[in-house]
Amino acid sequence: MADIATLDFAWQHRNDDAAKLAMQRHDGIDSKLAAQQVEGWQTARTKWPTLAEVPHYMYPPRLNREQSSSEATARYKATLAGAIGHGADLTGGMGVDSLFLSRQTERFDYVERDEALAALARDNFATLGQENVTVHSGDSMEWIARQERLDLIFIDPARRDGQGRRVVAFEDCQPPLREHLGTLYSRCRRLMVKASPMIDIREACRQLERVREVHVVAVKGECKEVLFVCGEGEGECRVTAVDIRPEGNVAERFLPSEERMAEPRFADGIGRYLYEPNAALMKAGCHALLGNRYGLAKLDRNTHLYTSDTMVEGFPGRVFEVAGTTNLSTKHLRASIPGMRAHVVVRNYPVDAATLQRQLKIKEGGDVFIIATTIAGKKTGLVARQVTQAQNQ
């Protein structure tokens, strides 16, 4: 663990270049560790702003920081947990989820296999005054098997294989959830599982068996994680697609059966306004139902964009005002796009946005959007400008 002198040094130099700091020598200071703290604090300013205000908070190595939840998503998990008596995080890591979940509980256990990481978390909980957290180092599945029934277990299986490559499916993660589901369900009233934003939601629900709620969580338009809240109960699970934003969360809730039964209205052409759902809704699969809720026409069965002639307020995503259609060729665009500077968006189109941007020789920037999509089965290019709305991306 870092001594107070190194932590004080890092705090005083928190705005310095961490790489340069690591190469310097200072009497009585562990320069490498000080640089790690500076780098951690510079990440914390945006990812964990509460921690960034604490001078002696100790940040773990970069990989652990990268794998940690953001403060925004950790706070969201805490709202799902509600006020409970006894909870546990079986994959403690840096401890950000444990910190905010523990503030909802009378007792909380943090369990982490990595002894060094657990020791760091123990010191940090003490620094933060989180006295209701008990830190355990060891195998979390062995630990939970010895416990009485808890109100809540949270688990975020490690999504890297033995070679450090990223994985998504539960069976490839550690610990492998399916092997331990029986033990987990016997030891808690509710199980909250954090998964990759790339997870197949339908397959995950099938594997977890007792899913009551699915939460697809985005932060400022970027999908970050999928949460599965599991437990006893009857009826269909409810899906929430939430975009966490500084001005307030934007959320849509629906039942999978509602989406299956929804019959979309398809557009005959492009209206004045075009609507693109936020990333959480795209991942959650709320497509036909969304257009019906907001009275919008869908461009195509597999094109999850919508249109209207008059402005619809409050849509959960980006809204564009359409200037017209365009031939997606460099020669044609050169006459209509000043400086060939624009943002390229692709939805249900044969190539991705980066490839199309290179093909068209478009420079990123400006206030014009080139939207490549499919309308009524025909590949189409649109020229548009984003409408400014606080709730949109």
Side-chain angles (χ1 to χ4, degrees), residues 40-193:
W41 179 84
Q42 290 172 359
T43 299
R45 285 180 295 180
T46 53
K47 192 171 182 178
W48 314 289
T50 295
L51 302 183
E53 297 175 1
V54 182
H56 288 171
Y57 186 89
M58 291 181 286
Y59 299 96
R62 181 181 299 176
L63 179 60
N64 302 119
R65 299 196 305 267
E66 290 175 348
Q67 292 175 337
S68 173
S69 295
S70 67
E71 180 172 328
T73 59
R75 286 185 181 277
Y76 183 76
K77 295 181 190 76
T79 66
L80 300 184
I84 56 177
H86 189 188
D89 181 347
L90 300 188
T91 47
M94 182 174 162
V96 175
D97 285 318
S98 291
L99 173 63
F100 289 96
L101 286 169
S102 68
R103 293 178 176 177
Q104 300 293 113
T105 68
E106 297 174 13
R107 295 171 53 203
F108 198 86
D109 291 288
Y110 159 109
V111 190
E112 169 56 49
R113 182 186 293 272
D114 186 322
E115 292 184 8
L117 202 53
L120 193 71
R122 183 180 290 109
D123 285 355
N124 281 333
F125 288 130
T127 297
L128 295 166
Q130 205 63 33
E131 298 178 353
N132 67 331
V133 179
T134 303
V135 172
H136 309 270
S137 176
D139 187 294
S140 60
M141 293 300 108
E142 293 178 1
W143 179 87
I144 193 61
R146 300 190 299 268
Q147 307 307 308
E148 298 295 328
R149 201 171 192 214
L150 283 66
D151 297 303
L152 175 73
I153 290 175
F154 172 75
I155 188 165
D156 175 12
R159 294 188 288 276
R160 289 184 184 271
D161 63 15
Q163 287 71 48
R165 295 171 300 196
R166 294 183 185 275
V167 296
V168 173
F170 288 143
E171 57 265 31
D172 298 325
C173 297
Q174 290 296 325
L177 276 184
R178 295 186 69 185
E179 294 180 18
H180 300 286
L181 272 183
T183 298
L184 291 169
Y185 282 137
S186 71
R187 292 297 185 271
C188 68
R189 293 176 177 82
R190 276 190 298 164
L191 173 67
M192 187 186 301
V193 180

Side-chain angles (χ1 to χ4, degrees), residues 24 27 36 43 94 103 210 246 271 282 298 337 373:
Q24 299 170 358
D27 291 341
Q36 178 177 300
T43 299
M94 182 174 162
R103 293 178 176 177
R210 302 183 189 178
M282 287 287 203
K298 204 167 186 288
I337 306 298
T373 188

